[in-house]
Amino acid sequence: MKKSNLYILVILCSFFSFSQTEECTSLYLIRHAEKVRDNSGNKNPHLNAKGLLRANKWKDILKHVKFDKVISTNLFRTLETASPISKSNDLKINTYVPSKEFYENFIKQNTGKTILIVGHSNTTPSFVNSLIEEDFYKDIKDDNNGNLYHVYKCGNSSPNHVLYYIN
């Protein structure tokens, strides 16, 4: 990604974070970074070296966003992706189990909050679709760990959503 594009992304993220009133909710959703793929059948692998770099890159990209919460599924790869951002915001990582029940009323339960949500190639788009109440995003391709979804809602308006790709 060109430096100029990165600055534009940071400015947009900052705008959505800092221009909010107390009744606005801002949700950033990402898929976990690159994981170890050693064909061992391990269902809970850690991040590989590239994934650790990407997790820190997410922290740098989102450094101007002040998060109120960081949530992640309870697997090594998602927790390790969330860790640099949670540490830089001095927050613990809350875990969740992806489900329609969890997604339902998520915005209402977190009105006025800015939250990072780390999930998977299938759960992250499903979560976004639930938040925007539309079947808009499809599962993320297996080799894509660079999607950043931003869902924001102010007052009684419908949630707005943006998809960025960070290589």
Side-chain angles (χ1 to χ4, degrees):
M1 169 177 253
K2 291 181 181 177
K3 234 180 197 176
S4 61
N5 290 342
L6 179 59
Y7 291 127
I8 290 168
L9 173 64
V10 169
I11 290 166
L12 284 172
C13 290
S14 298
F15 171 78
F16 289 123
S17 289
F18 297 129
S19 69
Q20 298 173 3
T21 65
E22 285 186 28
E23 62 187 303
C24 293
T25 306
S26 188
L27 308 172
Y28 294 82
L29 298 94
I30 59 175
R31 177 191 180 194
H32 63 79
E34 291 83 351
K35 64 184 177 181
V36 171
R37 295 178 182 268
D38 61 5
N39 295 323
S40 68
N42 182 0
K43 301 231 185 257
N44 191 12
H46 290 274
L47 295 181
N48 63 24
K50 187 174 179 182
L52 293 169
L53 288 172
R54 184 180 297 275
N56 279 300
K57 186 176 184 177
W58 283 125
K59 177 192 73 163
D60 293 341
I61 289 167
L62 297 170
K63 69 183 174 189
H64 296 291
V65 179
K66 176 66 180 132
F67 289 102
D68 298 302
K69 282 185 187 177
V70 174
I71 66 172
S72 168
T73 61
N74 196 21
L75 294 171
F76 292 134
R77 60 191 174 272
T78 51
L79 293 167
E80 291 167 359
T81 301
S83 182
I85 294 172
S86 70
K87 287 178 183 171
S88 71
N89 282 267
D90 198 28
L91 296 169
K92 72 176 189 135
I93 300 171
N94 297 292
T95 59
Y96 75 101
V97 176
S99 67
K100 287 183 182 182
E101 292 77 26
F102 181 78
Y103 304 156
E104 197 171 284
N105 297 316
F106 188 84
I107 290 179
K108 277 186 195 173
Q109 295 165 355
N110 290 285
T111 298
K113 303 282 188 213
T114 300
I115 303 172
L116 173 71
I117 302 156
V118 183
H120 302 273
S121 62
N122 59 338
T123 64
T124 299
S126 294
F127 201 161
V128 174
N129 288 339
S130 178
L131 295 169
I132 65 173
E133 298 177 3
E134 187 178 340
D135 188 21
F136 190 81
Y137 295 105
K138 304 300 176 214
D139 287 358
I140 302 168
K141 290 185 179 185
D142 193 49
D143 63 348
N144 176 358
N145 299 87
N147 283 5
L148 168 63
Y149 302 85
H150 186 202
V151 176
Y152 49 97
K153 179 177 176 12
C154 293
N156 294 325
S157 65
S158 296
N160 294 299
H161 53 100
V162 179
L163 168 64
Y164 304 100
Y165 178 76
I166 314 298
N167 192 5

